[in-house]
Amino acid sequence: MRQCQQACMCRQIRVQHSPQPDRGYGLRRCRLTLCEQGTEDTLSLIRDTRAGDPIQSVLRALLDEPVPLQADVLFATLDQAFPGGIDPRTSTRIVSGLAKQRALDLMFMALSWHEINKYELNCYHYSAAVNACAKASMWTEALKLLSGMMQNKLELDAITFSAAMSACEKGGQWEKTLQLFAVMVHGLVESDMITLSAIMSACEKAGEWERALHFFSVMTQRNIKSDMISFSAAISACEKGKQWAKALQLFSDMVQAEVEPSTITVNSVISAVEKGGEWDKALQLFNAMPQRNMESDTVTFSATISSCEKCGQWEKALQIFSVMLQNKVSSNVISCSAAISACEKAGRWE
């Protein structure tokens, strides 16, 4: 029942097909046999190392090729290595090994080889492939793989969904991230911190700050412990939505929860209070960074200088700009413009 519900929902997620040729994981194609030097070199390596771990031998043979392997060469390599067929555990190691090395073209070819030979493909193969796509920001391929799992009636878990959502988030596809979450809900798959953090990050990057905060509240309601990523996404959403008070409250909650903030997190809070005209709060956050063993970067200095300058605190703006130069932190247009404006207000045009 769960797989059927997921499959029905999945049909609503439209995947924009890439202009690149099909990578083979949903493709039935004729097997090609090609005898060329590259093939012979690859097969020779496997024969020479057959006494060792055959799986590692295959991976080395595939990954050490000086030029990209063609599908027929890879097929011949796997046929030679596993003439009597391949068991699910071994094939999982092959697919996962290629995924970990970011050899995605080879990974897709390996999946196609399994389909052509009608070897079993299980959730472990697909999950490894989806994770690899997420790390490479290949959201289209991730959704295709997810669809393939549903078509093969394989049960999806939160880890696989989270990886697909992460791929969509990195690709700027926040709406598809929400659609995947709907599939999870209808399929009775329990969401976790990673899943909700991926949704929040997608919404935050798209400027959908209210949606991002909604999912943060969902985490709180479900007693799911927030981490640095989820707190940072919520704070950044507040900054973009000009909700400086909420950003400060979330930062306070983060500290109380003993979640270590990053420089990016503090920068988001400073930018939020800067937009709200709260220069004193920006300065407090800036001055507290050394106590947390955190280094201020260009964004930190620029937001703090701009906050002081906009509120007429030109002396403090110039002091911070001087510290910025002393620390040899690269300045940008914002920091220089704020410093120039502070000098103008102070009558120190020279």
Side-chain angles (χ1 to χ4, degrees), residues 270-304:
I270 294 177
S271 295
V273 297
E274 181 259 331
K275 291 179 181 178
E278 301 291 330
W279 68 270
D280 54 335
K281 292 180 174 59
L283 199 57
Q284 289 174 8
L285 289 163
F286 175 80
N287 290 332
M289 291 188 71
Q291 302 172 10
R292 296 191 173 96
N293 295 320
M294 302 175 66
E295 291 187 4
S296 301
D297 60 11
T298 301
V299 177
T300 315
F301 276 103
S302 298
T304 309

Side-chain angles (χ1 to χ4, degrees), residues 159-225:
I159 296 175
T160 309
F161 270 112
S162 297
M165 289 178 181
S166 178
C168 292
E169 177 256 319
K170 291 178 180 177
Q173 303 295 318
W174 69 273
E175 291 178 321
K176 287 183 170 54
T177 305
L178 292 181
Q179 290 172 352
L180 286 173
F181 180 72
V183 175
M184 287 187 68
V185 173
H186 284 77
L188 303 179
V189 178
E190 190 70 25
S191 56
D192 57 13
M193 177 183 64
I194 299 175
T195 308
L196 294 172
S197 294
I199 299 173
M200 289 170 55
S201 294
C203 293
E204 175 266 320
K205 290 180 180 178
E208 298 288 329
W209 65 272
E210 291 177 311
R211 293 180 186 270
L213 293 181
H214 165 72
F215 284 104
F216 187 84
S217 66
V218 170
M219 293 182 69
T220 304
Q221 294 167 8
R222 296 184 182 179
N223 293 320
I224 299 176
K225 188 177 180 180

Side-chain angles (χ1 to χ4, degrees), residues 135-160:
K135 293 177 180 178
S137 303
M138 298 171 64
W139 66 270
T140 303
E141 285 79 359
L143 291 185
K144 286 181 182 179
L145 289 165
L146 208 65
S147 178
M149 291 185 72
M150 294 176 181
Q151 291 173 6
N152 291 331
K153 298 182 179 179
L154 298 175
E155 187 170 343
L156 283 74
D157 58 12
I159 296 175
T160 309

Side-chain angles (χ1 to χ4, degrees), residues 232-282:
S232 297
I235 290 172
S236 182
C238 291
E239 181 257 320
K240 291 184 178 179
K242 298 181 180 180
Q243 304 293 313
W244 66 267
K246 182 65 176 175
L248 271 179
Q249 182 60 55
L250 285 171
F251 185 72
S252 176
D253 294 342
M254 186 178 188
V255 174
Q256 290 180 3
E258 297 183 349
V259 177
E260 193 70 26
S262 66
T263 300
I264 296 176
T265 308
V266 178
N267 288 346
S268 294
V269 184
I270 294 177
S271 295
V273 297
E274 181 259 331
K275 291 179 181 178
E278 301 291 330
W279 68 270
D280 54 335
K281 292 180 174 59

